[in-house]
């Protein structure tokens, strides 16, 4: 088994213990079986994709039976013929129990090629209940509440932050069409950028938002009660458990979160090893095991049955509903072109250098120029 070093702990600790115990328990039910767990680099030279590609051509005997990869990597290795469909090896019960975003993340060219078993980095909001009694659902609600808001608007590696994508996608607009070509809505882009401009002008959105690249950079403002609402990630919230979780206020109150995560994929070529790998996946995807793994990792499960076994805290109840409408974060080259163009427009509007309409038009012009 090869596991991305983003997931597999390289040093002793709770997560390492949980992972080791789960594999050991499976071995105990299969006398004579030994599972070798090998952490591998997530990306780049010597990473899982690189090693699978190289080994499949020159040394197939060293290929693993199962791999854990980022959901962004899964389509790449699947389209190279390095993974096998799971439909006949993993039960329909598990497939049907996955949240829609997790099932979608595992489908490659209409085949079920991976099982996303953890979700992380889901950006939502939280608010201070001593400042407002309830979370605003829409932009109008936000203005009427008198709340102040901070979120990460600075791009990372030149690409737009999730905060803008949440707003744009909540309007029902698309990023690409079925053929993977840009399919942006000028109206939706203009509306979101206008909201940004008006939020700054009204004092609702903090001006320093444009300088924040991560939710961690926004956190001190909320912790010190200098702002009513802030964006936060699921990872950070699970580590601090402060403030009341809420959906990000959007145009019509449509809740959207973007999911990232890791998935199991089958790489065994021998039918007998495939069958055994399928049994191991069933074991690891058991709701109890999923919850133990995710709790130790500080991430969220992707099975409804796993959520239903968790203690019904306010956050579990909140995220149980949020995940029903979660969307897998997409990062094709076309998406990256779009994200870069969006970030330039966001920056120009928040710095009050460009009108929203002009900024929206610049996004379409840049994308149309960069993507044939």
């Amino acid at each position: 088994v090869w596991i991305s070093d983003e997931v597999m702990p390289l040093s002793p600790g709770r997560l390492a213990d949980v992972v080791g115990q789960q594999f050991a328990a499976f071995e105990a039910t299969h006398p004579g079986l030994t599972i070798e767990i090998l952490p591998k680099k997530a990306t780049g030279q010597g990473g899982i994709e690189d090693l699978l590609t190289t080994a499949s051509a020159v040394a197939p005997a060293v290929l693993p039976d199962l791999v854990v990869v980022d959901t962004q990597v899964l389509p790449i290795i699947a389209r190279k013929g390095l993974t096998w469909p799971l439909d006949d090896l993993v039960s329909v019960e598990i497939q049907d129990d996955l949240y829609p975003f997790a099932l979608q993340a595992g489908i490659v060219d209409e085949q079920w090629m991976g099982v996303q078993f953890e979700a992380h980095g889901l950006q939502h909001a939280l608010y201070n209940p001593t400042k407002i009694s309830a979370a605003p659902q829409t932009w109008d609600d936000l203005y009427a509440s008198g709340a102040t808001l901070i979120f990460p608007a600075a791009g990372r590696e030149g690409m737009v932050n999730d905060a803008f994508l949440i707003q744009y996608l909540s309007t029902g607009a698309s990023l690409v069409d079925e053929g993977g070509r840009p399919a942006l809505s000028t109206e939706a882009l203009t509306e979101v950028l206008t909201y940004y401009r008006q939020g700054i002008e009204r004092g609702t959105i903090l001006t320093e938002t444009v300088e924040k690249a991560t939710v961690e950079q926004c956190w001190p403002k909320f912790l010190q009660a200098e702002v009513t609402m802030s964006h936060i990630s699921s990872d950070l919230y699970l580590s601090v458990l402060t403030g009341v979780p809420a959906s990000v206020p959007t145009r019509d109150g449509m809740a959207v979160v973007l999911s990232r995560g890791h998935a199991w994929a089958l790489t065994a070529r021998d039918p007998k090893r495939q069958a055994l790998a399928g049994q191991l996946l069933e074991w690891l995807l058991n709701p109890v095991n999923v919850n133990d793994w995710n709790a130790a990792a500080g991430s969220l499960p992707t099975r409804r049955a796993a959520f239903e076994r968790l203690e019904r805290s306010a956050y579990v109840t909140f995220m149980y509903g949020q995940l029903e409408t979660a969307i897998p974060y997409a990062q094709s080259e076309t998406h990256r072109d779009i994200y870069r163009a969006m970030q330039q427009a966001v920056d120009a509007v928040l710095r009050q250098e460009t009108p929203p309409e002009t900024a929206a038009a610049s996004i379409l012009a840049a994308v149309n120029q960069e993507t044939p």
Side-chain angles (χ1 to χ4, degrees):
V1 178
W2 290 359
I3 301 183
S4 162
D5 60 9
E6 294 177 338
V7 177
M8 183 65 192
L10 301 178
S11 57
R14 182 186 175 196
L15 180 55
D17 291 343
V18 167
V19 173
Q21 289 165 6
Q22 291 190 6
F23 283 107
F26 184 80
E27 287 177 338
T29 63
H30 294 74
L33 174 69
T34 299
I35 301 174
E36 185 178 11
I37 306 170
L38 299 174
K40 300 292 183 181
K41 287 174 54 180
T43 58
Q45 187 174 6
I48 290 181
E49 178 193 349
D50 178 49
L51 292 176
L52 286 175
T53 303
T54 303
S56 66
V58 299
V62 306
L63 288 170
D65 298 307
L66 287 170
V67 295
V68 171
V69 295
D70 189 293
T71 52
Q72 301 296 317
V73 174
L74 178 63
I76 299 172
I77 62 175
R79 288 177 176 133
K80 288 184 176 182
L82 302 174
T83 63
W84 298 84
L86 298 172
D87 300 86
D88 297 328
L89 297 170
V90 178
S91 67
V92 174
E93 177 187 359
I94 290 177
Q95 187 175 19
D96 291 344
D97 189 51
L98 290 171
Y99 275 107
F101 75 88
L103 181 59
Q104 182 182 345
I107 301 293
V108 181
D109 299 331
E110 300 183 356
Q111 289 188 300
W112 192 29
M113 304 301 292
V115 185
Q116 182 178 347
F117 66 94
E118 63 92 32
H120 63 260
L122 293 97
Q123 193 175 133
H124 57 84
L126 78 166
Y127 70 94
N128 185 335
T130 67
K131 291 180 177 288
I132 53 175
S133 59
Q137 301 296 308
T138 67
W139 298 341
D140 288 341
D141 292 343
L142 178 62
Y143 294 143
S145 72
T148 51
L149 172 67
I150 190 169
F151 54 85
R156 287 186 286 182
E157 299 179 352
M159 293 192 290
V160 78
N161 207 288
D162 283 13
F164 185 82
L165 293 175
I166 287 170
Q167 295 293 348
Y168 175 78
L169 293 170
S170 73
T171 68
S174 300
L175 294 168
V176 299
D177 61 20
E178 293 182 357
R181 296 175 294 271
L184 298 171
S185 164
T186 305
E187 180 181 1
L189 290 170
T190 302
E191 285 185 325
V192 177
L193 291 169
T194 299
Y195 159 65
Y196 275 16
R197 169 61 64 85
Q198 291 179 346
I200 290 288
E201 292 174 345
R202 292 176 182 226
T204 301
I205 297 174
L206 269 62
T207 55
E208 61 198 86
T209 287
V210 71
E211 307 295 342
K212 307 299 184 185
T214 67
V215 292
E216 286 78 9
Q217 292 171 357
C218 299
W219 176 243
K221 283 287 184 182
F222 182 84
L223 189 61
Q224 294 158 17
E226 296 178 20
V227 65
T228 310
M229 296 187 72
S230 174
H231 283 212
I232 193 168
S233 68
S234 55
D235 310 44
L236 180 56
Y237 190 89
L238 286 168
S239 70
V240 298
L241 297 176
T242 299
V244 181
S247 301
V248 173
T250 58
R251 186 190 68 181
D252 303 318
M254 173 63 71
V256 170
V257 290
L258 296 174
S259 168
R260 295 166 177 78
H262 289 87
W264 286 104
L266 177 70
T267 48
R269 300 186 178 189
D270 177 74
K272 291 183 178 180
R273 296 181 76 89
Q274 287 182 345
L276 189 58
Q279 294 175 39
L280 176 56
L281 278 181
E282 291 272 350
W283 170 256
L284 294 170
L285 295 169
N286 176 285
V288 174
N289 288 335
V290 165
N291 281 345
D292 287 346
W293 189 314
N294 280 272
S299 52
L300 295 169
T302 59
R303 290 193 61 179
R304 296 183 183 90
F307 256 94
E308 289 163 4
R309 286 179 170 270
L310 295 173
E311 181 181 349
R312 282 289 173 160
S313 66
Y315 193 62
V316 167
T317 301
F318 169 72
M319 289 306 301
Y320 188 86
Q322 290 281 303
L323 293 182
E324 287 291 354
T325 55
I327 299 172
Y329 181 80
Q331 197 173 329
S332 68
E333 187 56 46
T334 298
H335 284 93
R336 287 192 289 272
D337 288 341
I338 292 171
Y339 299 159
R340 282 188 284 267
M342 283 179 166
Q343 183 53 41
Q344 292 178 12
V346 166
D347 194 73
V349 168
L350 286 176
R351 295 184 188 280
Q352 303 187 60
E353 297 170 350
T354 306
E357 298 81 0
T358 304
S362 72
I363 295 173
L364 270 68
V367 170
N368 290 335
Q369 180 180 8
E370 294 177 12
T371 309

